[in-house]
Amino acid sequence: MTAYRNRLYNEYYSNHSGVTDPDLQLAHFEQQVRYFTREIIPHLPADKYVRILDIGCGTGSLLMAMKRAGYSRAEGIDLSPEQLKMALEFGVDKVTEADALKFLQDHTNEFDVITGIDVLEHQTKNEAVEMLDLIKASLKSGGSLIMRFPNMDAPMPSVFAHADLTHELFLNKSSASQLFKSTGFSNVQVYPGLIYIEHPIKELLRKAVWWKMKFLAKISLFASGRTWHDVEFSPNIVVLAQKD
């Protein structure tokens, strides 16, 4: 691991989130659980007994969403000891400190589903290809991969792509599809990430503003001679892919 990664990942939770108050930490964790329940859980198999690995599980909010949805065989790995410490404090078990590439090398053909939320953007291009190759090897035949990462076609993409100094790889719908197909995955589907404000009045206003922003973005594409049919505008995109 490079020197900057060692330094930043060691205290990733406190340096990146900046939330120190325990009550606010728990509130933020629970908000993430609710978001993942809406964004990721619907893409999981109906069989609640599938074995799931969450790469870069962080504080475990997706694992908690899975647990509450009835998925009993989900486990997570992360590089950051500080984040894993928070996961345990939030009541998330089955988390291990591990480097994803090394872990995957030792666990071939074991998982029905592998998830990676806000993970791929932390890899270089070479590392991303290697990670996807290893993920495919770690999945059982017919297994599925679910990943989310920042979308470079979103309005003001730097707000999301460059919000973290450890980000290395920047993708949009087209390049993401290219990457996953080139590493041997089939049935590659790219979806817009969840955009949602829990306050109902703010959410109504947000929807109206978002509709106008998307309309103007489509007009810009039209003026440049491009189509918007292969473009997503959400800040994040979610990719679903399958191992044959």
Side-chain angles (χ1 to χ4, degrees), residues 38-44 116-118 144-154 171-178 180-181 186-195 210 214 228-242:
R38 296 171 63 103
E39 182 180 46
I40 304 300
I41 298 303
H43 296 300
L44 293 177
I117 306 302
D118 304 335
S144 57
L145 169 62
I146 306 172
M147 301 195 92
R148 187 190 77 178
F149 39 84
N151 173 27
M152 291 307 293
D153 285 336
L171 299 167
N172 63 6
K173 181 177 181 178
S174 178
S175 58
S177 180
Q178 177 188 19
F180 282 73
K181 289 177 181 178
S186 62
N187 194 26
V188 177
Q189 303 171 65
V190 183
Y191 295 95
L194 176 68
I195 312 175
W210 181 241
K214 284 181 64 176
W228 57 80
H229 297 295
D230 293 322
V231 177
E232 296 294 349
F233 299 102
S234 54
N236 291 312
I237 46 179
V238 176
V239 175
L240 275 64
Q242 191 170 24

Side-chain angles (χ1 to χ4, degrees), residues 117-128:
I117 306 302
D118 304 335
V119 170
L120 202 60
E121 66 269 28
H122 296 267
Q123 316 304 311
T124 65
K125 290 180 180 179
N126 285 334
E127 289 169 340

Side-chain angles (χ1 to χ4, degrees), residues 205-232:
L205 178 60
R206 184 206 64 76
K207 284 184 176 180
V209 175
W210 181 241
W211 182 90
K212 183 175 181 179
M213 289 178 66
K214 284 181 64 176
F215 176 76
L216 292 175
K218 290 179 179 180
I219 292 297
S220 297
L221 283 170
F222 173 76
S224 65
R226 299 289 300 273
T227 177
W228 57 80
H229 297 295
D230 293 322
V231 177
E232 296 294 349

Side-chain angles (χ1 to χ4, degrees), residues 44 95 105 113 129 159 214:
L44 293 177
V95 292
Q105 288 172 350
V113 180
V129 170
V159 173
K214 284 181 64 176

